Structures are given as structure tokens and as C-alpha cells.
Amino acid sequence: DINQQDYGISERRRGLVDKVRRLTVFDPDTRTQIFESDEMSFSGYLQFVTSGGIPKRCSASLIAPNWIITAAHCVNNGRGSLFGEWYSGWNFYPGLVSATQISKLGIPAVQAWTFYEWTNSGFTLNWDYDIAWIELDVIDTGITPLSLAYDDSIENNANFNIVGYPGDKPWLTRWHQFCSWEVVTSDIIYTKSCDITGGSSGSPVYRLSSTTFQRTIQCIVSWENTAYNGCARITQDKVDAICGSIGNCKDS
């Protein structure tokens, strides 16, 4: 069991980001830039294209030696059998911190998975299931992945870490934030403190244990509006589906 008091530790406070400088940004902007590739290298940049060849980008993170987790809308548009579209050409860049690394860090994908509840949303997208996982064309990245587990003890105003590639910041720069998620529901966690912009989708929202220093994903950054930003919560049924298909995901 996870003690509620174990939520409040930030990567920065632990000293993992020594060189530091909101889908919506809420004042004040407390995000800090990550300058070193080996800092929180479980997170990375995800590049892909639509069926029309339009390049897109998201954030993602490792949950197994050769699997990443991201937002479902980064692999499929969720519009059902008539208007549904699977994207392709995914490349994952772990630890990417600048444009100069883009040519040497990319790992191509083998396949992408998401939930039926997402792919068949239709015109009313089912944001509860805005989660996808992608197999990489590599045996082992050599990077310690995040844990994936359902925590039914989360309460309102829990503090979590986020790492990703927000679109309002310079291209291909990675940013961290430790902030409060004020409203917890069964499938969505809401915040009006954490900053999310295009490119942040798929970022892991995770707890860093103050006792074991284990990182456990609580939800995946999904959507934004002017009142709240939201992330799709990792529930037990989602853990079972993801880890069941992966077979070796890190489960805390």
C-alpha cells in the first residue's frame, strides 16, 4: 500500500535536475527545463505522421525495456469505423533535450495498441481511455522504465511530477513540473495548477516515492481547456490490459 504522505516529492527536490531555468498555462509558470539527456531519460519525444503524411508530435515514456506509453490520440483519432484513422511512422527519442540530437536517438516502433473504447469513440471522444502503448524495435533501451499500477488511495490535491515536450516552449526541449492535481475521479484527474500545451499530450503524470524513489504513473496527459487540464487515469482494468499485452511491463 502507498501512504498518502508519500506523494509530495519532486524530482527537483531530490536533485535529479540540477540545471533548470502550462495543453493550458496557468500563472505562474513553474515549469523547469531539463538540459541533460540522462536526467529522467525514461521520458522522450514521440514523432509520427497521419495517413495524409502530416507530421505530428507527442510526449511518451518507457514502461518496459522496449515499450512506451502515450496518449491514444497520438496513435489513432478515435473516430470509429467510418472516420477512424490509425497514424504511423512512430519514432521515440528517449531523453531528447535539443534539436541537435534528433538524428541519432530515434527508435522506430513495431506496433501500437490502444483501447477499443477509444478507437470507437465516434464524434464524442472517450477521454477516459486516451491511453496507448507502443512496442519499440529494440530489445532493451537500457533505461529504467516507470512503474504502472493502479492506486485507489489518491485524494484530491495530490502533488505529482510531469515530464514532456510542451508546444509553447522551444522546439524539442524537455520540461518538468511538480504540481497539484486538484480533482480526482474514477477515470480522469483534473488540474488547474499544472501546465499543458500541444506536445505535452502523452506525458506521464507520476508519483516519486519519498521512501523507495520508485516512480509510478498515475495518469497520462490527455486534454486541456481554460478551466482545467486533464489526464486519463491509470485504473486496474487499464493496467491489466496494458501489462497483459506487453507481458513484461514494470508493475509496482
Side-chain angles (χ1 to χ4, degrees):
D1 293 338
I2 299 169
N3 190 302
Q4 175 69 21
Q5 296 179 347
D6 198 18
Y7 289 156
I9 181 171
S10 164
E11 294 278 8
R12 284 194 64 196
R13 286 176 54 196
R14 190 184 170 208
L16 297 182
V17 182
D18 298 322
K19 303 175 182 178
V20 297
R21 288 218 264 209
R22 285 182 177 244
L23 303 147
T24 296
V25 177
F26 302 103
D27 289 331
D29 184 349
T30 61
R31 292 170 295 179
T32 55
Q33 187 174 356
I34 303 169
F35 290 94
E36 303 297 332
S37 294
D38 59 356
E39 309 258 12
M40 297 178 245
S41 55
F42 52 80
S43 66
Y45 179 79
L46 182 64
Q47 193 173 53
F48 57 98
V49 296
T50 67
S51 60
I54 300 172
K56 298 285 187 179
R57 64 175 183 173
C58 282
S59 300
S61 57
L62 284 157
I63 54 170
N66 63 328
W67 287 83
I68 58 173
I69 194 167
T70 188
H73 70 262
C74 302
V75 305
N76 181 284
N77 69 356
R79 297 301 185 185
S81 58
L82 291 178
F83 302 98
E85 175 189 352
W86 281 91
Y87 306 137
S88 62
W90 299 281
N91 276 277
F92 178 63
Y93 300 82
L96 186 72
V97 293
S98 73
T100 60
Q101 298 175 304
I102 196 74
S103 63
K104 60 183 179 180
L105 289 179
I107 304 172
V110 175
Q111 60 181 331
W113 297 57
T114 188
F115 295 96
Y116 174 89
E117 290 86 348
W118 173 263
T119 59
N120 288 273
S121 293
F123 289 103
T124 302
L125 293 174
N126 189 346
W127 297 106
D128 293 357
Y129 286 88
D130 190 15
I131 298 172
W133 53 106
I134 300 173
E135 182 181 7
L136 302 176
D137 191 15
V138 64
I139 296 175
D140 190 342
T141 61
I143 300 168
T144 301
L146 295 171
S147 295
L148 196 67
Y150 172 53
D151 182 358
D152 62 359
S153 67
I154 299 175
E155 297 179 356
N156 293 344
N157 301 306
N159 291 305
F160 297 126
N161 294 271
I162 311 176
V163 182
Y165 296 81
D168 63 318
K169 297 297 188 181
W171 186 52
L172 299 181
T173 59
R174 192 158 53 109
W175 296 75
H176 167 265
Q177 190 175 27
F178 182 66
C179 46
S180 174
W181 292 78
E182 289 87 357
V183 181
V184 177
T185 68
S186 58
D187 285 288
I188 298 288
I189 305 180
Y190 301 84
T191 180
K192 53 184 179 181
S193 303
C194 305
D195 304 319
I196 300 170
T197 61
S200 301
S201 293
S203 297
V205 177
Y206 65 94
R207 175 185 54 81
L208 173 61
S209 170
S210 60
T211 55
T212 66
F213 300 113
Q214 179 167 276
R215 301 175 177 91
T216 305
I217 299 175
Q218 306 297 317
C219 58
I220 298 298
V221 168
S222 176
W223 53 266
E224 76 212 62
N225 62 40
T226 56
Y228 283 96
N229 292 326
C231 66
R233 188 174 180 183
I234 299 295
T235 56
Q236 190 59 55
D237 65 314
K238 295 168 187 171
V239 171
D240 292 344
I242 296 169
C243 294
S245 61
I246 291 176
N248 64 341
C249 75
K250 186 177 179 183
D251 187 342
S252 61

